[in-house]
Amino acid sequence: MNRVYVCSCFGITEQQVKKHAADGACTPRQIASACKAGTDCGSCVRRIQALLGRGACPRRELADRGRPVLAELEPELDEVA
């Protein structure tokens, strides 16, 4: 098996980062919380950002409020007033 390491400090592979992203980690900070990648020397943070891509993650506050994460992002009535 060919392993591509993203974080040498903690031995985190590309596949592990992608799995954490699939499980809901949307930012390098959330990846760091999941597996420590990016918390030591920091040289892997840009690679983690590249793996996460742009706009690939639904807005976190929707999930925090229990709403479907793929719901359309329209303001709620109480936010408009």
Side-chain angles (χ1 to χ4, degrees), residues 44-68:
C44 61
V45 174
R46 286 185 185 250
R47 180 71 184 132
I48 292 168
Q49 288 172 326
L51 287 170
L52 294 174
R54 290 191 172 182
C57 185
R59 289 178 50 175
R60 185 76 221 152
E61 63 267 14
L62 291 177
D64 290 344
R65 290 187 284 182
R67 294 184 54 199

Side-chain angles (χ1 to χ4, degrees), residues 10-57:
F10 293 104
I12 305 300
T13 64
E14 238 180 52
Q15 289 298 70
Q16 288 172 299
V17 171
K18 289 177 181 178
K19 171 149 184 3
H20 289 303
D23 290 343
C26 302
T27 65
R29 185 170 286 173
Q30 290 172 339
I31 294 291
S33 293
C35 64
K36 292 188 176 182
T39 62
D40 195 24
C41 77
S43 66
C44 61
V45 174
R46 286 185 185 250
R47 180 71 184 132
I48 292 168
Q49 288 172 326
L51 287 170
L52 294 174
R54 290 191 172 182
C57 185

